[in-house]
Amino acid sequence: MDQAIAKADALIEAMGWIRRFRGKTTVIKLGGSLLEDREALQHLLLDVIFMETVGLRPVVVHGGGKAITEAMAKAGIEAHFIRGRRVTDEKSLEVVEQVLAGELNVELTEMMERFGGRAVNLSPRTTCVLKGKKLIDPEGDDLGFVGEVTEVDRDVIESLAYTDQVAVIPSLCTDDKGQLYNVNADTAAMAVAQSLGADKLVFLSDVNGVRRDPEDPQTIIPALSADEARQLIADGVIKSGMIPKVEACLETLGRGVQKVHIIDGRLRHSLLLEIFTTDGVGTEIHP
């Protein structure tokens, strides 16, 4: 009986957050090692289905860097990166499109359907909702078919939300001539969140959030204002690979998204714990 009461208490705690976020849009960025961890991925997708079931409007944006690199290696194509961006020639683009639109996007959608949810894959093979152009590298390097999102078809995404379906979007865009481009998944998720005026943008990472000591998970900072985050960067507390992620969060906040979260997607039900509990499990950055 005590266990049953504890479950009821957890539901009561969640009720306030559910009422607060009901009808609000949350964009969830999936990528990296999480797509390779089947157990963690299943729990994350169950979290997404729960969110939709209780009235939130989740939208999933995904990359697939590791799977792309492995597929390129099998095809005998060597991966090249410039400042973290994958140089994408014609042969590489074929692999990127096959992995993102032909495999991962379909797989994520089918997994959610098997778990009892309703999901729709929005890729260049079905309905492409990300429009863009070739990314011009500021240092003058030619990255090939790497693009940036300039427009999001929010009507298509929102129409799915109104019919209780979750949009699943790969990090690919097309220009006005139909040319396909590979897009950084973080920036694709940012563009979607900004276009939809999302209440939340959640970056699922392999760290538990912003830490005062990068090597100590116990030093996580649960919440930061934008000004506090900038000061921690200036003080050298936020450093290395966390800097571009936090800077991306700050840019997103500056364009209308209410809150950005960085959480460890490997933690079971981390998405629900971050959104529907008082303490959360990651770092929330707010204006």
Side-chain angles (χ1 to χ4, degrees):
M1 182 60 71
D2 289 343
Q3 188 176 20
I5 292 173
K7 289 181 179 179
D9 287 339
L11 290 173
I12 294 299
E13 180 184 4
M15 179 176 67
W17 300 107
I18 291 171
R19 292 181 64 86
R20 179 175 177 180
F21 299 130
R22 188 169 54 193
K24 301 291 182 63
T25 298
T26 296
V27 175
I28 301 149
K29 184 264 176 175
L30 277 175
S33 59
L34 294 177
L35 292 169
E36 308 297 319
D37 187 333
R38 307 304 295 177
E39 183 175 357
L41 182 60
Q42 288 178 14
H43 288 301
L44 285 168
L45 295 180
L46 283 170
D47 288 0
V48 173
I49 294 169
F50 179 90
M51 292 169 65
E52 188 282 318
T53 300
V54 298
L56 280 72
R57 295 178 177 171
V59 176
V60 175
V61 179
H62 71 88
K66 186 174 180 180
I68 291 169
T69 299
E70 291 177 352
M72 287 177 61
K74 289 180 181 179
I77 303 171
E78 186 178 354
H80 294 284
F81 294 87
I82 296 178
R83 288 179 295 282
R85 295 188 182 275
R86 185 187 303 274
V87 178
T88 309
D89 59 16
E90 286 190 21
K91 290 185 177 180
S92 299
L93 184 63
E94 291 178 6
V95 174
V96 170
E97 192 276 341
Q98 174 59 31
V99 171
L100 292 183
E103 297 173 9
L104 288 176
N105 191 246
V106 174
E107 182 181 15
L108 290 171
T109 306
E110 290 180 345
M111 286 178 69
M112 293 179 66
E113 295 277 350
R114 287 200 302 272
F115 296 152
R118 300 179 65 202
V120 176
N121 50 312
L122 298 179
S123 79
R125 294 192 176 191
T126 55
T127 301
C128 186
V129 293
L130 302 184
K131 305 299 181 183
K133 62 181 181 180
K134 180 180 174 66
L135 177 67
I136 304 302
D137 182 72
E139 302 296 323
D141 293 298
D142 186 358
L143 302 175
F145 295 100
V146 173
E148 59 180 326
V149 177
T150 58
E151 182 182 350
V152 177
D153 192 339
R154 60 179 296 172
D155 290 341
V156 172
I157 301 172
E158 290 181 337
S159 67
L160 292 176
Y162 292 139
T163 55
D164 303 326
Q165 299 180 88
V166 179
V168 184
I169 307 168
S171 53
L172 295 166
C173 72
T174 56
D175 65 15
D176 55 6
K177 296 181 180 178
Q179 175 60 55
L180 185 69
Y181 292 99
N182 181 21
V183 181
N184 175 273
D186 283 353
T187 58
M190 290 165 56
V192 172
Q194 291 161 13
S195 175
L196 297 176
D199 186 75
K200 293 180 181 293
L201 169 59
V202 181
F203 288 107
L204 293 164
S205 180
D206 56 2
V207 296
N208 63 340
V210 179
R211 304 169 181 172
R212 293 194 180 277
D213 178 354
E215 305 303 320
D216 185 359
Q218 300 303 315
T219 63
I220 183 174
I221 305 173
L224 284 171
S225 69
D227 288 342
E228 289 170 338
R230 293 188 185 95
Q231 188 60 51
L232 289 177
I233 292 174
D235 293 342
V237 175
I238 296 175
K239 54 187 176 182
S240 186
M242 188 57 73
I243 291 177
K245 189 169 290 291
V246 172
E247 287 179 339
C249 294
L250 296 175
E251 179 183 347
T252 304
L253 289 174
R255 297 185 181 183
V257 177
Q258 299 302 307
K259 295 179 181 178
V260 184
H261 301 254
I262 301 173
I263 64 176
D264 186 349
R266 300 169 301 175
L267 175 66
R268 185 172 177 177
H269 298 310
S270 57
L271 196 52
L272 296 185
L273 291 169
E274 178 67 10
I275 294 175
F276 296 126
T277 65
T278 301
D279 295 332
V281 293
T283 297
E284 173 191 287
I285 303 177
H286 53 86

